[in-house]
Amino acid sequence: MSSRIRPDCISFGENSVPSRLREKMSQRFFVESPIAADRASLVGAETHHLSHVMRAGVGDEVTLFDGSGAEFTARVAKIGRSSVDLDVLSRHEIDRELPFEIVMGVALPKGDRQRWLIEKCVELGVTHVVPLQTARGVAQPVQHALERLRRTVIEASKQCGRNRLMTLTEPMPFNDYVASIPTESIGLIAHPAAPEHTPMHRLLAEVTPLAAYYLAIGPEGGFSNEETSVAASAQWQFVTLGPRILRIETAALALAAMIAGRGP
Ligand code: SAH
């Protein structure tokens, strides 16, 4: 078998096993290791999704992505107990990313609101989420919680069509995050209304499009005075989202949506 992926799409007859995929041929599955040849395998939760949830059979055609930016048309070749082998038929460079980076530094909320925030960040096109360790924040997720949230990133990418995975970094101290911002980017810290703070929509109308937007959203207790002074001395801009106090995830998504609105 050749190790090159054929660039054409192949259609099938009616002889494959009946499955839900017949009506929903665009179903997407995530492959853990980069797809470089004409075979690929699904493992873990993806195997379960393909064989039990979608009830796919040998011969069914599905879409694969490996997080590297492309997606692939593939045909199910073999379904095992814990893995599925597929023949990769074609590769398509389909870019659904924003033309700039959004880096979401956020003191993650607790429980289910955390998962919800991560899911919506993926949908809106956020590039990286950085959980922030702040003076008034609750403990940021430990390793196994981060792994669960990374699974949420994959599920959301399957649903919304992103071919690149949003990264979720290890928790980072607020001061380090503020200092990490590169040139060609702007740092925006969300802080409830104060007369000298710029409304977010006005600030966006004033700044020319940039390569990266670094955001900082505080914990339920808000940023401490020391943290706001650190941000001010590092030239971060203070932005407000109106006179109401928003939940962490509402503030985060409102900022991300306003910035994403500058993209396609
Ligand atoms: N009691 C806190 C509120 C925290 S709300 C305080 O007074 O600061 C959690 C985070 O959401 C805030 O730290 C801020 O980053 C963001 N946020 C909430 N409402 C906001 C608003 N109206 N404008 C800008 N940011 C807001």
Side-chain angles (χ1 to χ4, degrees), residues 37-250:
D38 57 6
R39 295 286 283 205
S41 297
L42 301 183
V43 291
E46 295 302 279
T47 300
H48 173 75
H49 186 204
L50 184 137
S51 58
H52 296 113
V53 182
M54 299 314 297
R55 296 203 298 273
V58 169
D60 276 343
E61 200 177 313
V62 298
T63 300
L64 305 181
F65 70 111
D66 61 2
S68 65
E71 63 186 40
F72 304 81
T73 302
R75 185 173 48 199
V76 177
K78 184 172 159 231
I79 300 185
R81 201 186 266 273
S82 57
S83 67
V84 174
D85 294 336
L86 303 107
D87 293 322
V88 180
L89 308 176
S90 54
R91 176 192 173 97
H92 313 268
E93 291 299 332
I94 300 179
D95 185 5
R96 300 195 179 97
E97 298 304 301
L98 292 169
F100 43 76
E101 288 194 0
I102 300 180
V103 183
M104 175 70 74
V106 53
L108 287 178
K110 287 201 224 156
D112 233 31
R113 292 163 51 206
Q114 206 171 73
R115 205 176 57 78
W116 191 83
L117 168 62
I118 295 296
E119 179 181 289
K120 304 306 163 204
C121 282
V122 172
E123 291 171 28
L124 287 171
V126 169
T127 326
H128 309 288
V129 168
V130 182
L132 294 182
Q133 293 165 333
T134 56
R136 299 184 189 147
V138 294
Q140 290 302 290
V142 292
Q143 205 51 46
H144 72 271
L146 284 173
E147 288 313 318
R148 268 208 309 274
L149 290 174
R150 290 192 179 114
R151 184 67 217 167
T152 300
V153 172
I154 293 170
E155 293 299 340
S157 305
K158 287 168 72 172
Q159 181 274 326
C160 78
R162 269 182 93 169
N163 290 324
R164 268 187 207 288
L165 293 187
M166 180 184 87
T167 57
L168 174 61
T169 72
E170 299 293 311
M172 194 173 188
F174 175 80
N175 291 3
D176 294 354
Y177 176 65
V178 164
S180 73
I181 150 172
T183 52
E184 291 283 302
S185 61
I186 188 170
L188 303 174
I189 176 166
H191 207 47
E196 70 279 18
H197 297 166
T198 318
M200 181 62 185
H201 61 88
R202 185 152 7 108
L203 186 130
L204 279 184
E206 284 164 9
V207 296
T208 51
L210 290 147
Y213 297 80
Y214 278 64
L215 312 179
I217 318 293
E220 297 302 353
F223 287 117
S224 68
N225 291 342
E226 200 207 313
E227 285 164 341
T228 52
S229 349
V230 168
S233 24
Q235 313 300 318
W236 279 57
Q237 308 266 333
F238 286 74
V239 290
T240 73
L241 294 161
R244 294 159 302 279
I245 299 294
L246 309 177
R247 292 275 207 161
I248 298 167
E249 63 275 26
T250 318

